[in-house]
Amino acid sequence: KAGVTQTPRYLIKTRGQQVTLSCSPISGHRSVSWYQQTPGQGLQFLFEYFSETQRNKGNFPGRFSGRQFSNSRSEMNVSTLELGDSALYLCASSLGTGGYGTEAFFGQGTRLTVV
Amino acid sequence: GDSVTQMEGPVTLSEEAFLTINCTYTATGYPSLFWYVQYPGEGLQLLLKATKADDKGSNKGFEATYRKETTSFHLEKGSVQVSDSAVYFCALSVTGNQFYFGTGTSLTVIP
């Protein structure tokens, strides 16, 4: 079956701009989570969406937002970009209903560079 | 809060050497524990998992045992190969699709 697809793979944006990243989960998966990966902070949880509702949220400013559509595809938006937002953004897909011990499948990520 | 502490890298080993990467965790509930691996330019791939105390996860020669008494989930492999060179992440999950990751350990295996 097809894996998790993230688009675009690479982005270069200017400070102050906004950006939208997309994630298509594995067919049948209803949960999508987003993570930011940087050399200094490692992997940090941004938020999780399940059935179009935000279910969990990490400790990021309000400039980071997301949404999920009825087909489970998710988008993440970052407004007023800062240099520190440069990172690899990873999307993780899971069934979402298995609860305990359910594994997540990750996309290849979107590499965002803010200049 | 929930967190994972992972052995710092980088680790460099000769082919066929024994590998241990230490991982300890702090969790308020009853977490599931995971090891993920990341190859250059790729996302994370699940290596193995354990969902309760004393469970042993295993895959591709890698093993880790969920030790509740020591809050640990150390990754081991008896004989590493060059193809095992990657970054390894220990992670826990208590609820939903939300994971807490360690900082990652970079492994390089030399022939």
Side-chain angles (χ1 to χ4, degrees):
Chain A
K1 56 182 176 183
V4 180
T5 303
Q6 290 188 246
T7 56
R9 289 291 310 276
Y10 302 92
L11 267 177
I12 300 176
K13 290 287 188 179
T14 304
R15 266 184 307 175
Q17 287 186 314
Q18 76 164 16
V19 67
T20 298
L21 314 182
S22 179
C23 172
S24 293
I26 291 170
S27 177
H29 285 193
R30 293 162 61 189
S31 170
V32 173
S33 290
W34 289 89
Y35 294 82
Q36 182 194 64
Q37 185 177 23
T38 60
Q41 299 296 318
L43 279 152
Q44 294 186 285
F45 172 75
L46 281 153
F47 31 66
E48 179 203 3
Y49 284 86
F50 177 76
S51 292
E52 301 180 64
T53 301
Q54 188 179 87
R55 187 159 69 172
N56 289 302
K57 187 177 188 303
N59 189 27
F60 276 80
R63 299 185 298 105
F64 292 82
S65 63
R67 60 179 176 168
Q68 188 179 34
F69 302 95
S70 58
N71 62 357
S72 293
R73 189 177 71 86
S74 177
E75 289 183 346
M76 190 192 97
N77 186 76
V78 187
S79 62
T80 320
L81 283 165
E82 301 176 359
L83 295 178
D85 297 333
S86 295
L88 180 66
Y89 289 88
L90 291 166
C91 162
S93 158
S94 94
L95 286 169
T97 55
Y100 202 65
T102 303
E103 65 187 82
F105 297 83
F106 284 79
Q108 291 185 295
T110 294
R111 172 76 62 186
L112 172 65
T113 303
V114 182
V115 297
Chain B
D2 299 333
S3 67
V4 173
T5 301
Q6 190 174 335
M7 184 175 99
E8 294 287 335
V11 174
T12 302
L13 294 173
S14 297
E15 205 166 21
E16 298 184 2
F18 184 84
L19 169 71
T20 299
I21 301 177
N22 290 337
C23 171
T24 57
Y25 67 90
T26 302
T28 51
Y30 299 94
S32 293
L33 301 174
F34 304 80
W35 278 100
Y36 278 86
V37 58
Q38 186 175 35
Y39 298 99
E42 302 289 323
L44 277 67
Q45 299 175 25
L46 178 67
L47 183 58
L48 53 84
K49 70 175 185 180
T51 58
K52 62 184 187 297
D54 299 325
D55 266 3
K56 177 186 281 189
S58 61
N59 186 28
K60 300 180 181 179
F62 291 90
E63 292 183 340
T65 301
Y66 189 142
R67 301 286 188 201
K68 189 177 178 184
E69 63 277 12
T70 54
T71 61
S72 65
F73 192 56
H74 306 319
L75 182 67
E76 296 183 335
K77 186 175 186 183
S79 176
V80 293
Q81 305 300 312
V82 172
S83 57
D84 294 327
S85 298
V87 180
Y88 293 81
F89 292 91
C90 184
L92 71 82
S93 174
V94 177
T95 156
N97 190 9
Q98 179 177 0
F99 289 75
Y100 294 89
F101 287 90
T103 52
T105 301
S106 175
L107 170 67
T108 301
V109 180
I110 54 177

